[in-house]
Amino acid sequence: MVYDGILIGLIFGFVRYGFMNGLHALANLRIRGGLIFPVLLAAQFLVFYLQENSSFFLQFNGWMFILIYVAGLTVLWLNRREDGFWFIFLGVFLNFLVMLVNGGKMPVSVEAASVLDPVYLQMLQEGTVVSKHILLDHTTRLGFLGDIIPLSPPYPRTQAISIGDIIMNVGIFMYLKSIMLRQSTAKNNLRTSKTLHIHN
């Protein structure tokens, strides 16, 4: 779901503040420890790949995802003063929390999973799905923080999301809007300054 927030934020920013302003804002984007995010993303894909071919990774993949979340939360905390990052941190933390108390797995409700591929739902119900997800049932802790919200057409992507996902994406939208607004304001101030200098 994180990609949705980024895409919506970028589209809004480009339309509201101009395409070139948006590109300049993104080019000047600076996040403390930001280079860690691509590494964490690559680590997730690596775990996904290895868990299908290694009993060790299959057994401990949930806790590996937890470690990835801890590293991500650390970077988010370092950037907590940036606009929107408190929301991003809170959303990621809620997802981390529900996974932590459920063995490193994200619970998915039957209702939410019903909009997904029927084969995936069947695998969830049988407990044979190889991923960081498990089926939400009576043994699930903090189930309300799991993937319990179904998204389907007219929404462009069919998926099951959590409350944490929504909060996180609100933060991403706020951050992208903020950096593009700053770029637009700085450009306008520079233009005004040049105009005043000419008149003077």
Side-chain angles (χ1 to χ4, degrees):
M1 177 76 184
V2 62
Y3 306 111
D4 301 50
I6 293 174
L7 183 59
I8 293 171
L10 289 176
I11 292 174
F12 175 86
F14 287 145
V15 171
R16 177 65 179 81
Y17 303 111
F19 185 73
M20 293 307 299
N21 279 333
L23 288 181
H24 284 133
L26 295 175
N28 294 322
L29 188 151
R30 297 292 182 270
I31 298 176
R32 294 181 64 189
L35 292 178
I36 293 177
F37 283 123
V39 174
L40 297 180
L41 183 61
Q44 283 203 65
F45 283 125
L46 183 62
V47 173
F48 274 125
Y49 173 76
L50 292 176
Q51 69 187 358
E52 296 182 1
N53 303 286
S54 167
S55 58
F56 174 82
F57 278 90
L58 180 61
Q59 182 179 358
F60 295 103
N61 66 344
W63 299 111
M64 293 176 186
F65 287 126
I66 288 296
L67 291 176
I68 292 171
Y69 266 83
V70 170
L73 284 168
T74 302
V75 176
L76 293 173
W77 178 258
L78 292 175
N79 293 276
R80 62 190 181 278
R81 291 184 176 84
E82 294 285 344
D83 290 335
F85 264 73
W86 269 114
F87 282 89
I88 302 174
F89 180 89
L90 177 60
V92 174
F93 177 77
L94 292 178
N95 286 344
F96 163 78
L97 180 62
V98 68
M99 290 178 65
L100 181 65
V101 299
N102 288 285
K105 303 284 187 176
M106 171 61 80
V108 185
S109 71
V110 171
E111 293 77 12
S114 64
V115 302
L116 305 175
D117 188 327
V119 174
Y120 183 78
L121 175 57
Q122 182 180 351
M123 293 175 68
L124 269 176
Q125 292 172 324
E126 295 174 351
T128 57
V129 63
V130 181
S131 72
K132 63 179 182 180
H133 298 96
I134 56 171
L135 188 68
L136 190 154
D137 59 23
H138 67 282
T139 65
T140 302
R141 298 174 179 175
L142 301 180
F144 68 96
L145 293 178
D147 287 340
I148 61 172
I149 305 169
L151 292 180
S152 58
Y155 192 80
R157 288 207 306 152
T158 299
Q159 54 188 315
I161 65 172
S162 66
I163 295 172
D165 290 333
I166 295 175
I167 296 173
M168 174 181 60
N169 278 278
V170 169
I172 292 172
F173 176 84
M174 291 172 62
Y175 175 67
L176 291 174
K177 176 178 176 293
S178 171
I179 62 171
M180 291 191 185
L181 173 60
R182 262 182 271 162
Q183 174 65 32
S184 178
T185 302
K187 186 175 181 180
N188 289 335
N189 289 341
L190 179 61
R191 187 184 298 118
T192 301
S193 176
K194 288 182 177 179
T195 301
L196 292 175
H197 178 73
I198 292 172
H199 286 303
N200 290 335

